[in-house]
Amino acid sequence: MSTASTSETDHPSATPKHFLEQWIEADHAAGRTGGKVVTRFPPEPNGYLHIGHAKAICVDFGMAKEFGGECHLRLDDTNPSKESDEFAQNIKEDIHWLGWDWGDCFYSAADMFDEMFEIAENLIRKGQAYVCFLSQEEWKKYRGIPTEPGTPSPTRDTSPEENLRLFHEMRDGKYADGECCLRAKIDMASPNIHFRDPVIYRIHHVPHYHLGNKWCVYPMYDFAHPIEDALEGVTHSMCTLEFEVHRPLYDWVIDRLDEMGKLVVRNGVKIRPCQREFSRLNITYTVMSKRKLLELVERKLVCGWDDPRMPTLCGMRRRGYPPEAVRAFCEGVGVTKFISTTDVSILEQCVREVLNRTAARRMAVLNPVKLVIDNMEEGQVVSCDAVNNPENPDAGTRKVVFGREMWVERDDFMKDPPKKFFRLSVGREVRLKYACLFTCTHIVEDEKGEVLEIHGTWDPASLGGNAPDGHSVRGTIHWVDAATAVKLPVRLYDRLFCVEEPDGDSEHDFKEYLNPRSIVKTTALCEPSLQVFKPGEPVQFERLGYFVADSKDSADGAPVFNRTSTLRDSWAKQQGKGGK
Ligand code: ATP
Ligand code: MG
């Protein structure tokens, strides 16, 4: 079962079919799927999922959904030294968050180790695999270079009986890590280096997070992956481009499984899994390699895998990215074989588009200066109606109060404004959003010229924000009532790196490009209704950006707000690219 919780991004017929869709469609129509398209998403539980995985998930689950089939979640847990149950659990949580479900189709490579071992024994019996004692350096040297044939291992022609005995000794712990390995006997002269008797089983004296000390030999990816696909009855195995050169080996293993009668038969059709490759997702201003992400976490350069600046799905969730925005982005970038890098501002725009529709509006001031309405009585309280979400009439309005003193943003006032500055300045009129019109008469400054207070008058007949005589007022600013404002902690997040391709050059370490201003901790003066925001609930601070109540650090009645994004692409503006 493959379902996405909402369907607003699902309109497969609106766009031309990509090459994977065409491939699956043709196989399905030709009867090669036995009536059911089966795909899989095969993460290794050695890290957290990131936005690149989200693309693979949307392709794997999306194709299964489109063709009415199923997508298996399979943990490709064949390398125990880096895997853990923590990673496995988080992978499941992240896929569900993204809106996909594998139903009862959950698999783990480890559950197939017994069968994989038997398949390896079968290969040995047929003279198609042998135990090799070359060291790793020797093995690489013997393998050679693509343009010249390699050198056979001295044990390449050992008898099957002897190989079987040695392989069992490997399993029984007689050898140390790296002392020997099992290799498939294919072709030492092949121009494809992966075909030159690849290693298919290695010794690794490390307990498995799932099976404990049961094994000290583990299958290699190139051997395990096609077996997993075949035993699960997967019809279409989609992966990233780096596996294209491994495909002949994938097919070689499938052929051997076919000879052994191991292929699943569905509705009378023998299911022969096929692999195709698409280009991986790269985005600007971040790194996506698990190794580099792990380094950031281990060196405490970020606050964990779910730090809101990380490109991980748990980081994006905490940052306030809605799952439908991530799906829309993955769908938008499309599926091709071209290696490319996508501008992160496209992802940010997808996030804004969703939040614009869904996030409630509230007022908060980040960099406050006092505004005093001189013609209002001390203690006077006026109430006005504020719109909760102009994009959603059902969200209604709320009452907001104000009095003689308010907080407004310091940048909304200028002493010597240019002509096109429509906000506060002595002698000018602005609209205090939802409240009234206000004319600035004078300011109070300190000896350094820093503005301490902005004074002026209001017109009570403009309550609600419209001029009673209908004249137009260009500038509208947000505000917070000083008597009732609450102070709440806010974290202004920005991009984690300050260059487009932090891992793009060999002279600098990617960590040198960390953006020193990627987190700025501050306090916002907020309208009181912001206190009741629940962890994970999004909000637009009017004119400032989208925020979300942090899912870890917020307490009941005391939210901590993370900035999800600014309202516009401020990076494009800085770099003279315009932006919206
Ligand atoms: P590793 O370096 O540990 O192999 P990985 O990122 O390939 O890391 P896997 O857990 O093996 O991690 O990935 C699971 C699936 O996600 C694979 O099919 C892989 O091709 C796909 N995938 C990984 N990164 C990306 C990416 N940037 N874009 C698209 N698909 C990706
Ligand atoms: Mg991988």
Side-chain angles (χ1 to χ4, degrees), residues 152-163:
S153 160
T155 55
R156 193 169 200 262
D157 293 321
T158 312
S159 70
E161 296 70 36
E162 178 63 2
N163 275 322

Side-chain angles (χ1 to χ4, degrees), residues 7 14-15 23 28-29 99 124 157 165 424 452 473 495 543 575:
S7 59
T15 40
W23 169 57
H28 198 37
I124 295 173
D157 293 321
R165 191 182 66 76
L424 281 167
L452 298 177
V473 178
R495 295 176 184 173
R543 299 181 58 236
Q575 293 170 14

Side-chain angles (χ1 to χ4, degrees), residues 131-160:
V131 175
C132 175
F133 286 85
L134 292 177
S135 69
Q136 206 172 1
E137 296 76 56
E138 287 170 325
W139 167 78
K140 273 198 187 135
K141 218 165 89 209
Y142 277 56
R143 195 170 62 159
I145 53 168
T147 47
E148 289 166 26
T151 312
S153 160
T155 55
R156 193 169 200 262
D157 293 321
T158 312
S159 70

Side-chain angles (χ1 to χ4, degrees), residues 42-44 46 53 76 221 240 242-243 280 290:
E44 187 179 352
N46 64 353
H53 293 114
D76 206 355
Y221 176 90
T240 36
E242 68 272 22
F243 294 104
R280 62 173 47 232
K290 277 187 199 164

Side-chain angles (χ1 to χ4, degrees), residues 84-100:
S84 76
D85 200 46
E86 179 201 336
F87 291 138
Q89 292 313 321
N90 279 285
I91 286 172
K92 293 183 184 173
E93 191 181 334
D94 286 347
I95 299 172
H96 277 149
W97 171 75
L98 202 56
W100 299 101

